[in-house]
Amino acid sequence: MQICFLQIAIDAPLDTLFDYRWILERDDAPLPQTGQLVLVPFGRREAIGLIVAVREDSDMPAEKLRDALEIRTQVPQLSEAWLDLSRFAAKYYQRSLGEVAIPCLPKKLRAPKSVSIDRALKKLAKEAALPATQPQPDAPELNGTQHAAVTAITEAQHFTPFLLHGVTGSGKTEVYLQSSAQVLARTPNAQILILVPEINLTPQLEKSVCDRFPETHIVTLHSGLAEAERLRNWLSAHTGQAQIILGTRLAILASLPHLQLIVVDEEHDPSYKQQEGLRYSARDLAVWRAQQLDIPIVMGSATPSLESWSHARNNRYKMLSLPERAVQDAALPTIRLVDAGRNQMVDGYTAAMLAAIQLRLERNEQSLLFLNRRGYAPVLTCYACGWVSHCPRCTAFMVLHQPDRRLRCHHCSLEISIPHHCPTCGNVDLQPLGRGTQRIEESLHTHFPDANILRIDADSTRRKGSAQAAFQSVHEGEVDILIGTQMVAKGHDFQNLTLVGVLNPDTALFSHDYRASERLFAQLMQVAGRAGRAAQKDGSESEVLIQTRYPQHPLYAALQAHDYGVFANALLEERQQASLPPYSYQALLRAEARELEDAIDFLEQAAKLARHPQVTVNDPIPMTVTRVANVNRAQLLLESVSRAALQAMLRQWMPQLRGMKTRVRWTLEVDPADI
């Protein structure tokens, strides 16, 4: 009988590894291996851990050691490269290795019983034995700039970060597909990872990839999958059976032993930043992973993030430009500004907007109205006494959802029936204030009673598959007027859509968030790009109408010129003068408590411990939405022009924070997306 000792990472907020004993009953029994999953007793429960090291002895006293229960030998061990990725993420984002490595695995892989794993592996074995019979279709011909981009990507033999900057409709997806085809042809067992920012974009991309690669094993990885399917897809990627992996941000932490190319589509999108648990940036980890594996990475966007744009200007990234639309005679839409202050509004529309929609209906063309605010109205109010529909649990308003006859808080999900009279003065004449997508839909039915109108937002697409069905109806021409939030703004190729109307975009111009103008520009350029993607008909013109009270704002001028470079360079100059990212680095400590004073007190104590000559520690302040679900929230911002200095301070600071005796819940976010 032989005994060895295992150092195991477990999903726990303790920055340490845990020692366990493993007894080999036979002399010829295989030794446990680094990267294997293991079931262990942990406290009063059983937990899945990851073997990080196998040793002949242990520093722990023998009486304190417990025996590991089972090693998941049916699952091939995770590679050392994957472990290094997890170690880097843990170190950079100031979490324990177990908090990174374990949660990114499928739930059924972390379950105490392994029946689901055995079942999934058997199904994968059957799929691998099925012969592929479909012929691969011919790829469309590329234009000059597309061909140059594909050539540059496929000729890169080592780590090369490419920023593929192309106008909307310039054929970035075709560049991804043809680059992937050449990589797969060159290296038969290669794996390619393609990331998209949101789940609702995966079906359209998956269809394009499956149509182009009918004989290639393709899987998707995102949180919307059923757990059994997610396990199967993860195992397919982990064993190398899947060659093309499509996914959202969680896919960057998947095990991909033969990875040869990474693509990050819409790389600017804030959805790549995880906002719960391990608050990582999938785009940043993708760049690190490509460098670790010495492979090329392609980051594509019509409106790159300022961080990526700055890297390209400084030659850290190689810029690839697609300045024209890929479809011949498909011109960029004309962007017109309609002064909402000088033109009379009817139900939230100017006469120019209504006339443009009517013209498209007469031409049998589609229109899209974009309003990034769901619900019927942002607030319900009483004009007699000034009462407004505050959420009793949050420092926010309850949004009116007229079709459901409900008031709903979008922060804590509290729902109540619409009151029959004012709770303060008894007035029965309560009125909606402002407009959401539901109210826009209602008024459009009044103005265009014969039109087929469809609303796509988080409320109308709650059921699984409903978003995909809704977008399919638009593609098939069953919809005349589409109303939507940011869900419709990117990635969708509507061939018959020639008008985009933007309603009420001005609020972001005056946000406290220094990233608001960058995000507004990206959002407007993306939604404008839904128009005119097909070749123009005779006499037809695609256009974007933006109703704004500030038509002289420089953001709109750059938008009209379709010139992201001018806008981005001006923003970078402002950021440099203010010493904001990407010219500085930030970390944000958030605290939650029943009483706001407790959260502020904790942050003040934490601030006294945060000492470094190159790190600025700002005063603790309440968060913008201070109270959510009766929990008060505050934050402490740390800044430095040196990433190394900030990381060094955080490494010293975190053990001190963990040692503080407090009932306050706190989290640390490195490179925060929202402040």
Side-chain angles (χ1 to χ4, degrees), residues 216-421:
T216 304
H217 194 111
I218 300 161
V219 298
T220 57
L221 286 173
H222 56 74
S223 59
L225 298 175
E227 287 302 326
E229 185 179 7
R230 183 179 168 191
L231 172 64
R232 212 162 47 244
N233 291 358
W234 187 93
L235 287 170
S236 181
H238 174 55
T239 57
Q241 185 173 328
Q243 290 188 276
I244 299 180
I245 297 89
L246 311 175
T248 53
R249 59 177 178 258
L250 63 82
I252 192 56
L253 292 169
S255 172
L256 305 167
H258 309 302
L259 189 57
Q260 293 295 314
L261 174 67
I262 300 176
V263 173
V264 184
D265 192 28
E266 309 291 2
E267 66 85 29
H268 68 278
D269 200 291
S271 299
Y272 281 122
K273 185 67 187 289
Q274 171 77 10
Q275 293 299 323
E276 296 176 354
L278 174 68
R279 301 187 177 215
Y280 64 92
S281 165
R283 181 199 63 209
D284 295 349
L285 285 183
V287 174
W288 191 92
R289 192 170 191 180
Q291 186 173 23
Q292 173 204 28
L293 299 176
D294 199 24
I295 62 174
I297 176 172
V298 183
M299 293 164 281
S301 176
T303 54
S305 63
L306 288 188
E307 288 81 4
S308 297
W309 189 260
S310 175
H311 287 326
R313 288 206 317 177
N314 296 327
N315 297 319
R316 293 191 188 97
Y317 292 176
K318 185 173 181 179
M319 177 79 81
L320 302 173
S321 295
L322 303 178
E324 298 175 351
R325 289 199 150 172
V327 176
Q328 192 173 5
D329 299 327
L332 288 169
T334 301
I335 298 178
R336 291 170 49 200
L337 304 178
V338 182
D339 193 334
R342 295 186 176 183
N343 289 272
Q344 186 176 358
M345 307 273 280
V346 178
D347 295 331
Y349 314 103
T350 58
M353 184 72 75
L354 293 173
I357 296 172
Q358 180 61 45
L359 179 62
R360 267 64 193 185
L361 291 173
E362 293 170 0
R363 291 179 177 171
N364 292 319
E365 296 170 354
Q366 293 173 315
S367 303
L368 163 62
L369 291 186
F370 175 74
L371 176 64
N372 203 22
R373 179 175 286 164
R374 61 190 177 98
Y376 186 85
V379 66
L380 189 66
T381 186
C382 172
Y383 286 118
C385 70
W387 172 86
V388 289
S389 54
H390 285 287
C391 175
R393 307 197 305 181
C394 308
T395 48
F397 297 116
M398 300 194 78
V399 177
L400 174 62
H401 287 255
Q402 186 72 24
D404 304 327
R405 300 293 301 165
R406 309 286 284 176
L407 291 174
R408 184 176 298 147
C409 177
H410 290 176
H411 294 276
C412 72
S413 300
L414 176 67
E415 289 189 26
I416 61 173
S417 299
I418 298 174
H420 297 291
H421 54 78

Side-chain angles (χ1 to χ4, degrees), residues 163-234:
L163 180 60
L164 183 63
H165 177 223
V167 298
T168 52
S170 59
K172 292 186 287 292
T173 300
E174 192 58 41
V175 171
Y176 305 152
L177 295 178
Q178 296 207 25
S179 299
S180 299
Q182 292 194 33
V183 170
L184 291 174
R186 186 176 63 213
T187 311
N189 68 336
Q191 290 183 305
I192 294 167
L193 174 62
I194 304 177
L195 297 178
V196 292
E198 294 179 10
I199 292 173
N200 70 71
L201 296 178
T202 53
Q204 180 173 305
L205 181 61
E206 184 178 12
K207 184 180 185 305
S208 299
V209 175
C210 290
D211 289 346
R212 184 64 56 84
F213 302 99
E215 296 188 354
T216 304
H217 194 111
I218 300 161
V219 298
T220 57
L221 286 173
H222 56 74
S223 59
L225 298 175
E227 287 302 326
E229 185 179 7
R230 183 179 168 191
L231 172 64
R232 212 162 47 244
N233 291 358
W234 187 93

Side-chain angles (χ1 to χ4, degrees), residues 643-675:
R643 175 177 275 160
L646 180 61
Q647 282 287 317
M649 197 228 77
L650 293 177
R651 282 194 292 272
Q652 294 177 350
W653 196 39
M654 286 298 289
Q656 295 174 302
L657 293 180
R658 292 190 181 105
M660 291 175 63
K661 293 183 178 179
T662 179
R663 294 184 178 180
V664 173
R665 291 182 57 190
W666 58 270
T667 57
L668 179 75
E669 181 176 358
V670 180
D671 302 332
D674 298 297
I675 296 179

